[in-house]
Amino acid sequence: DGTYPYNSFMVPCAVEALKLCLSVLLYMSAKIRGDVHRVSFRLYNFFAFSLPALCYFVSNNCMFYIIRELGPTTFQITSNLKILATGVLMRICLGRKLTWLQWKALVLLVLGAWITKQQTRTEELKSSSWGYTLVVCNSFASGAGGVTSELLLKGRGSVIDSEPIYWQNIQLYFFGLMFGLASSWSTVVDSSAFAGFNAWAYAAVVSHTLAGLLVSFILKYLDNFAKC
């Protein structure tokens, strides 16, 4: 019937909690090995991580509604639009110039997604306008999250640049967890927050946790296009 047997807000929340715990463990391990030499705490830098955390919170929760409205196949196809949003935001926020070939590739990507969806019946397109609105929101929220994360992780020569990635991730995932808890507490109606969770839900939590940690390293040492 298009609904989930569990509270979908709990999946991103659990992912953020697990990423936070793993980042703390990795940080402590690096500290014991002596790999961490400089860590600073500044309120401005700390709260700056709330912006990408909010963007990821919106994007991760949009995913469940898009799948419910449009189906997993359409979600996977339209997810490629994140690359276009990322390219535009990288140009605006990071001043990253793209080659003419890269812009043509982005345009072809959008055209490919549009042509694929023309095979869908007209009445289906009309009935799922809310789903496509969420696709646009998801694309730009994900792109904004990636761009602001790259900006904060790399620091552009500031003190943030010298901070270990584990410490940066701890700050990012802390805010992600706060947003997740706020949304989960407002929607939980059962005595157990994980009521209805099945093996697939737990598998989604684990896979998204590992993917999120890997993405942070990609943004730190490469860029958003490598992530896409």
Side-chain angles (χ1 to χ4, degrees):
D1 59 354
T3 60
Y4 297 99
Y6 49 83
N7 182 4
S8 61
F9 282 99
M10 281 305 302
V11 175
C13 181
V15 168
E16 295 301 318
L18 190 53
K19 288 193 295 187
L20 179 60
C21 292
L22 290 176
S23 295
V24 170
L25 291 176
L26 290 171
Y27 172 77
M28 295 303 297
S29 176
K31 190 78 172 177
I32 293 173
R33 295 195 309 267
D35 296 337
V36 176
H37 303 290
R38 181 180 182 181
V39 170
S40 62
F41 180 83
R42 298 182 180 181
L43 281 179
Y44 175 80
N45 294 338
F46 175 66
F47 282 103
F49 281 97
S50 64
L51 179 57
L54 177 61
C55 293
Y56 285 134
F57 166 76
V58 173
S59 176
N60 292 336
N61 284 286
C62 278
M63 173 182 65
F64 289 93
Y65 288 96
I66 295 172
I67 293 175
R68 186 184 67 183
E69 295 289 329
L70 305 177
T73 302
T74 301
F75 166 74
Q76 195 62 38
I77 294 173
T78 55
S79 290
N80 292 323
L81 299 179
K82 294 179 183 179
I83 304 177
L84 175 62
T86 300
V88 173
L89 291 172
M90 286 179 67
R91 181 69 182 91
I92 296 174
C93 301
L94 301 180
R96 193 77 53 81
K97 294 183 178 180
L98 302 181
T99 65
W100 176 236
L101 181 62
Q102 289 175 318
W103 281 116
K104 287 194 293 184
L106 291 176
V107 172
L108 289 174
L109 181 67
V110 174
L111 289 176
W114 180 77
I115 291 173
T116 301
K117 288 313 301 169
Q118 293 311 300
Q119 301 174 0
T120 306
R121 293 180 301 174
T122 304
E123 56 268 25
E124 290 180 347
L125 289 173
K126 290 181 179 179
S127 64
S128 58
S129 58
W130 171 239
Y132 288 101
T133 302
L134 290 174
V135 166
V136 176
C137 179
N138 179 46
S139 298
F140 280 93
S142 176
V147 169
T148 52
S149 290
E150 180 180 345
L151 182 62
L152 289 171
L153 289 171
K154 291 181 177 177
R156 286 190 169 183
S158 67
V159 66
I160 305 178
D161 187 38
S162 61
E163 292 180 346
I165 187 172
Y166 310 122
W167 170 239
Q168 294 174 319
N169 281 343
I170 288 173
Q171 299 173 83
L172 174 62
Y173 301 146
F174 169 80
F175 285 105
L177 179 59
M178 292 300 102
F179 290 128
L181 289 175
S183 63
S184 300
W185 283 338
S186 63
T187 55
V188 169
V189 295
D190 196 275
S191 57
S192 173
F194 293 94
F197 260 56
N198 50 33
W200 294 111
Y202 287 111
V205 170
V206 174
S207 62
H208 279 79
T209 297
L210 297 177
L213 290 172
L214 290 175
V215 164
S216 67
F217 281 88
I218 293 174
L219 295 179
K220 175 76 171 180
Y221 301 109
L222 295 174
D223 58 25
N224 270 277
F225 275 135
K227 177 198 72 173
C228 295

